[in-house]
Amino acid sequence: GNSVTQMEGPVTLSEEAFLTINCTYTATGYPSLFWYVQYPGEGLQLLLKATKADDKGSNKGFEATYRKETTSFHLEKGSVQVSDSAVYFCALRYYGNNRLAFGKGNQVVVIP
Amino acid sequence: EPEVTQTPSHQVTQMGQEVILRCVPISNHLYFYWYRQILGQKVEFLVSFYNNEISEKSEIFDDQFSVERPDGSNFTLKIRSTKLEDSAMYFCASSVRQGALRNTGELFFGEGSRLTVL
C-alpha cells in the first residue's frame, strides 16, 4: 500500500549546521509529496510540496526534490536557525483523492 | 489569517465514556478531515467529509467513531465508548476553498486535541 518512512529518532544540531531529514515512500501511481512542519503549540502547516518527478519544493530555506528513481523526498536546509526547531512530517497524497499518508515525524532541536 | 481551531486542547476520560472533540474548520473550505497520532507513531488518517457526508474512512474508523457537521461551522468527532488505545492526539483539518480553480492538495490543520483515556 501507500506509505511514507522517515528516518528514526530526533535530530539535534547546532545553529548554522546543515540539516537533512530522510523520507522515502511506497506508492502506486504518481503521488504528490509534502513536508509539513509543526512548531511548538501549533498545528501542522505545509512547508513545501512537489507534485511530479524531479520537481523541487522550496520554502524558508528548506528544499526537497522528488526523486522517483529512489522513491525519496529528503528535506534539506543549508543553515538552520533556532527558530527551525519543530517536528517535521513527510507525507504523500493518494492519487485521485485528498487523503494524506504521513510518516512518524522527526523532532528537530537546534541549539544556539 | 483564517485557521482551524480545535477544542478541547486536552481531555482526560475514563474508559467506556463518550468523548466529543470539536473543530471549527476554515469557513469557506469544502473538505474536512480527522487524523490522529498515537504517541511515537505515525499520523493516521481517520475520515474525510464532503458535502455533508463521509467521503472516505480508514479501517481505524469503526462503529465507535462518528462525525457530524451539526451547523454551518462546527465539525465534530465522537468516540462512543473510549478504549485505552484511543489515547492519542487528534487533528482536524480542512481543505479546498470554495470556488478554487484547482485542488492544491494542501490541508490546513488545527493544533490538535490530546485525548487521554484512563
Side-chain angles (χ1 to χ4, degrees):
Chain A
N2 298 328
S3 67
V4 172
T5 301
Q6 290 183 235
M7 53 191 276
E8 289 292 328
V11 178
T12 302
L13 61 169
S14 299
E15 205 166 22
E16 298 183 3
F18 185 88
L19 170 69
T20 300
I21 305 176
N22 290 341
C23 171
T24 57
Y25 68 90
T26 304
T28 54
Y30 302 95
S32 296
L33 300 173
F34 303 84
W35 277 99
Y36 277 80
V37 59
Q38 185 180 27
Y39 298 105
E42 299 184 17
L44 284 77
Q45 52 188 275
L46 181 66
L47 179 60
L48 54 84
K49 68 177 184 181
T51 57
K52 60 184 188 298
D54 301 324
D55 267 3
K56 178 187 283 188
S58 61
N59 186 23
K60 299 182 181 179
F62 290 89
E63 291 183 342
T65 301
Y66 189 143
R67 301 278 187 209
K68 194 171 187 299
E69 64 276 13
T70 54
T71 61
S72 65
F73 193 55
H74 304 321
L75 183 68
E76 297 181 336
K77 185 172 184 180
S79 176
V80 293
Q81 305 301 312
V82 172
S83 57
D84 294 324
S85 298
V87 182
Y88 292 81
F89 295 90
C90 187
L92 69 80
R93 177 184 169 199
Y94 286 30
Y95 177 74
N97 65 40
N98 292 315
R99 175 173 171 172
L100 289 176
F102 283 92
K104 282 189 180 182
N106 287 102
Q107 173 86 50
V108 171
V109 177
V110 180
I111 300 169
Chain B
E1 174 103 27
E3 59 182 18
V4 176
T5 57
Q6 291 185 239
T7 54
S9 56
H10 188 194
Q11 181 157 355
V12 180
T13 190
Q14 295 291 325
M15 192 169 55
Q17 295 295 305
E18 176 183 283
V19 161
I20 297 175
L21 304 179
R22 292 182 167 79
C23 170
V24 179
I26 294 174
S27 62
N28 61 355
H29 279 187
L30 299 175
Y31 288 83
F32 315 115
Y33 313 83
W34 284 100
Y35 285 78
R36 78 172 186 190
Q37 186 179 30
I38 295 170
L39 189 64
Q41 299 187 24
K42 294 186 177 185
V43 177
E44 303 170 295
F45 169 81
L46 293 178
V47 66
S48 61
F49 192 87
Y50 171 73
N51 201 26
N52 287 319
E53 61 183 22
I54 291 174
S55 54
E56 190 179 0
K57 61 183 181 179
S58 71
E59 59 280 1
I60 301 169
F61 195 87
D62 60 23
D63 292 344
Q64 293 295 319
F65 292 89
S66 63
V67 289
E68 197 176 34
R69 187 152 163 85
D71 52 42
S73 60
N74 289 284
F75 179 54
T76 61
L77 175 70
K78 182 190 291 186
I79 308 175
R80 191 158 55 89
S81 177
T82 51
K83 303 186 285 287
L84 295 176
E85 54 265 37
D86 294 327
S87 295
M89 180 72 87
Y90 288 80
F91 293 102
C92 175
S94 67
S95 71
V96 188
R97 180 176 52 83
Q98 193 166 21
L101 294 177
R102 62 186 183 93
N103 182 354
T104 65
E106 179 177 2
L107 269 62
F108 294 80
F109 285 85
E111 293 179 14
S113 294
R114 179 167 297 285
L115 176 64
T116 301
V117 182
L118 302 176

